[in-house]
Amino acid sequence: MFCYQCEQTAKGTGCTAFGVCGKSPEVADLQDLLIYLAKGVSMYAHRARQLGAVDRNVDVFVVEALFTTITNVNFDEARMEAMIRKAGEVREAAKKLYEDACRKAGKTPETLGGPAVFPVPSSRSEMINAGEKVNPEAGSEVHGEVVQGLRDLVLLGLKGSAAYMDHAKVLGYEKDELYGFIHEKMDFLAGESFTVDGLVGQAMDAGKWNISVMELLDAANTGVYGHPEPTKARVTGVKGKAILVSGHDLKDLDLLLQQTEGKGINIYTHGEMLPCLAYPGLKKYKHLVGNYGSAWQNQREEFEKFPGAILMTTNCIQKPKDSYLARIFTTGLVAWPGATHIGDGKDFSPVIEAALAAPGFDEDEEPHFINVGFARNTVMSVAGKVIDLVKAGKLRHFFLIGGCDGAKPGRSYYTDFATSVPDDCVILTLACGKYRFNKLEFGDIDGIPRLLDAGQCNDAYSAVRIALALADAFKTDINGLPLSLILSWYEQKAVCILLSLLYLGVKNMRIGPTLPAFVKEPVFKVLQEKFNLQPVTTVEQDLKAILG
């Protein structure tokens, strides 16, 4: 295996024996083969779409193939094998779609090679062997490290976009042109000739498209569940039976709330599900009582202590301990061998039964509440006051301290940075990196909370909209605002957000705790020269550089 798609990759260069995330070499190789075959599907689908022919099943499969290979999603060899077999079937359907479209248009179909014709192995062992031949390390031998790293920068951005598209699709929101974007980029990556400038351009274009993807997801979440509202979220246990929901999927939580209503079971969010407590369409359920625990990397200790059942809805799963394997459940694309999977029918009866069999909380824990629900609608409703505070000199600077959390040393930087931000500054935050400081007290500036939680990593669109609206109010661009972005990254959703920010021309961003292994030094120099993108250093140095 060779995998360097996440921040905690071994030695900062790549996992070669076993994934730090818990991914086995076999699963890593199967995932690489699935992506390779998905490129073949897109080669046909892209050309068919240019002739006006589309197939939603083909479109959805490529998105799901990308999403299922994101860090901490699917660790199950059997499910990966099934997806590879399906890839072969979908590729044949895409080929027929293209050839039929050519006949209708009076054109001769192109003779395609590579991923378009690669034979699907018949056994799992052969699939694993085939995957080894198409992993990033093999690509580096052909293209060199810099070009391969840029190819993977584009690919990993696509994986993040695909995850967001899948979240939106689940809620009934899709756009044909976004499927077309995925196919176009996958077809490009299936090519054989690349230049550094061309790949950087493709990465920026992927960032442009991802803004539309994030806009679609924002429309889906707010269209179905309403705009998040400022909410006091309880972060301690309530007496009674309990189910903990982690991941990102709002609809899974909604369905579970419907199926548990009146059953005497309290529902808690975990990790990136915390912002769900602020949506009117979800907070209306009285048995959605609060949030338990923190970010994904702490789940093995937190899940072991949680006295109920656990439901994982998307990425973020870690290898379960034996102590709670029987009461953790997966659904959607997420899977772990040995954990019970809830299928597409979304019958959560096994989860409910496990919760009723578990002890639950025997008494109320001491109440503790934190503020959530400061997405774009809320912040923009007080934009006039915010602008007046800036003009009056009472609000000096905005810091967006957000992104993924992780287990690698160095992430205390974000806690130290947040607590060192001067009292006349406001902190915007989103994604699970906020757990480093979101239970601390920051106070307010004339009634405006100094810590504004904008939501999930999926809600990055909210932060972009807030920044663009403020820039418009001050008659400047984002770079002219008293705003600094201090970003933490872990997996592929963070990559596509970064590409979107770079496409928007945002400069002077700081990223950490380490730089991506797939962004090689010559490429990073280009990003530094063009955008002044820079690694975090120390809190003192970075604050001084920003505030003077």
Side-chain angles (χ1 to χ4, degrees):
M1 71 175 287
F2 182 85
C3 182
Y4 59 2
Q5 69 178 15
C6 83
E7 182 264 340
Q8 68 181 13
T9 191
K11 300 179 182 178
T13 56
C15 295
T16 57
F18 209 90
V20 175
C21 66
K23 181 165 58 177
S24 70
E26 292 79 11
V27 167
D29 291 333
L30 292 170
Q31 289 185 353
D32 287 329
L33 177 59
L34 176 62
I35 291 299
Y36 188 72
L37 293 173
K39 290 175 183 176
V41 174
S42 287
M43 291 172 74
Y44 291 115
H46 173 58
R47 286 161 176 78
R49 183 175 254 94
Q50 291 178 315
L51 297 173
V54 298
D55 183 332
R56 182 176 177 274
N57 291 331
V58 170
D59 296 341
V60 168
F61 176 80
V62 174
V63 166
E64 290 184 346
L66 286 162
F67 188 10
T68 204
T69 62
I70 277 185
T71 305
N72 292 42
V73 177
N74 190 345
F75 295 84
D76 192 316
E77 288 183 39
R79 289 176 64 82
M80 289 303 309
E81 179 183 347
M83 287 200 73
I84 287 170
R85 295 191 189 284
K86 186 176 180 180
E89 298 169 2
V90 174
R91 189 177 61 181
E92 284 302 308
K95 180 181 179 181
K96 184 176 186 304
L97 181 73
Y98 170 53
E99 291 176 345
D100 288 349
C102 284
R103 273 193 292 274
K104 187 175 180 181
K107 295 179 176 291
T108 301
E110 290 182 50
T111 301
L112 303 179
V117 297
F118 188 86
V120 179
S122 58
S123 69
R124 186 184 302 180
S125 61
E126 291 173 327
M127 292 176 183
I128 291 167
N129 289 335
E132 291 178 358
K133 295 178 174 61
V134 293
N135 68 18
E137 192 171 42
S140 293
E141 293 175 0
V142 176
H143 304 289
E145 280 192 342
V146 173
V147 166
Q148 182 59 36
L150 278 168
R151 290 179 74 213
D152 286 327
L153 175 62
V154 176
L155 174 63
L156 301 185
L158 294 182
K159 288 188 178 188
S161 294
Y164 293 151
M165 288 173 64
D166 188 74
H167 295 321
K169 172 183 67 68
V170 165
L171 291 172
Y173 283 67
E174 300 174 73
K175 281 190 175 180
D176 182 70
E177 60 264 35
L178 295 181
Y179 288 123
F181 141 64
I182 294 290
H183 289 312
E184 178 189 4
K185 291 291 178 275
M186 290 287 276
D187 173 66
F188 169 79
L189 292 174
E192 297 179 353
S193 179
F194 304 94
T195 65
V196 169
D197 288 344
L199 283 161
V200 171
Q202 289 288 333
M204 295 301 100
D205 192 54
K208 178 194 76 172
W209 278 103
N210 186 60
I211 294 171
S212 297
V213 172
M214 291 192 296
E215 182 180 24
L216 178 69
L217 179 56
D218 179 84
N221 287 340
T222 59
V224 176
Y225 297 111
H227 284 276
E229 304 167 339
T231 302
K232 295 281 188 182
R234 182 170 180 143
V235 292
T236 53
V238 177
K239 182 178 180 180
K241 302 293 185 178
I243 296 175
L244 187 62
V245 184
S246 195
H248 299 78
D249 198 283
L250 275 61
K251 187 171 184 179
D252 282 336
L253 175 61
D254 185 14
L255 293 173
L256 179 67
L257 287 164
Q258 293 176 35
Q259 293 179 36
T260 51
E261 200 162 22
K263 287 184 165 56
I265 301 174
N266 292 322
I267 309 300
Y268 298 80
T269 61
H270 176 269
E272 286 271 42
M273 297 297 284
L274 168 64
C276 296
L277 298 170
Y279 282 92
L282 296 171
K283 63 189 275 189
K284 68 181 182 181
Y285 294 98
K286 301 303 182 187
H287 60 303
L288 180 60
V289 297
N291 188 76
Y292 177 92
S294 56
W296 67 271
Q297 78 276 3
N298 302 319
Q299 69 183 248
R300 280 165 60 85
E301 289 71 34
E302 293 172 352
F303 288 1
E304 187 172 47
K305 293 176 182 176
F306 185 74
I310 302 142
L311 177 65
M312 298 298 302
T313 65
T314 55
N315 53 310
C316 290
I317 193 171
Q318 283 188 303
K319 180 181 180 180
K321 290 185 178 181
D322 292 340
S323 58
Y324 62 84
L325 181 59
R327 52 186 178 88
I328 187 170
F329 300 82
T330 60
T331 192
L333 294 174
V334 65
W336 189 279
T340 300
H341 189 79
I342 306 298
D344 293 341
K346 300 296 182 180
D347 179 0
F348 293 117
S349 297
V351 186
I352 295 169
E353 292 168 6
L356 293 173
F361 288 95
D362 57 9
E363 61 182 3
D364 288 349
E365 295 181 338
E366 183 175 352
H368 183 197
F369 294 85
I370 61 174
N371 292 316
V372 297
F374 291 91
R376 62 181 173 87
N377 212 46
T378 296
V379 175
M380 294 319 301
S381 70
V382 295
K385 183 174 183 178
V386 169
I387 292 165
D388 289 343
L389 289 172
V390 173
K391 290 180 176 179
K394 293 183 178 181
L395 201 171
R396 180 170 34 148
H397 204 85
F398 298 90
F399 290 91
L400 194 158
I401 309 174
C404 314
D405 204 359
K408 205 168 185 178
R411 289 183 177 270
S412 59
Y413 168 91
Y414 298 95
T415 310
D416 296 339
F417 195 103
T419 55
S420 299
V421 167
D423 291 344
D424 60 354
C425 302
V426 165
I427 299 169
L428 284 164
T429 190
L430 50 78
C432 63
K434 62 175 168 260
Y435 280 107
R436 293 278 168 173
F437 49 82
N438 70 340
K439 294 176 184 176
L440 303 177
E441 181 56 53
F442 288 90
D444 66 87
I445 301 176
D446 282 13
I448 301 295
R450 288 191 56 241
L451 179 65
L452 301 175
D453 184 347
Q456 297 182 335
C457 67
N458 302 2
D459 297 315
Y461 180 73
S462 262
V464 170
R465 284 285 298 272
I466 291 169
L468 290 173
L470 289 173
D472 184 61
F474 285 107
K475 295 180 170 43
T476 183
D477 59 14
I478 290 179
N479 295 313
L481 287 173
L483 168 68
S484 298
L485 279 67
I486 315 297
L487 307 177
S488 60
W489 82 283
Y490 173 70
E491 45 89 9
Q492 294 78 68
K493 291 179 178 178
V495 174
C496 69
I497 293 170
L498 178 62
L499 293 180
S500 291
L501 293 171
L502 293 175
Y503 166 75
L504 290 170
V506 180
K507 296 183 178 181
N508 307 315
M509 290 184 287
R510 286 167 168 79
I511 183 172
T514 58
L515 295 175
F518 47 85
V519 178
K520 303 304 177 183
E521 186 175 352
V523 177
F524 190 72
K525 283 184 177 179
V526 171
L527 298 178
Q528 278 189 306
E529 290 169 4
K530 187 171 183 179
F531 302 103
N532 199 30
L533 180 66
Q534 51 198 293
V536 298
T537 58
T538 68
V539 170
E540 294 76 16
Q541 287 178 313
D542 290 343
L543 269 174
K544 184 177 181 180
I546 292 167
L547 296 177

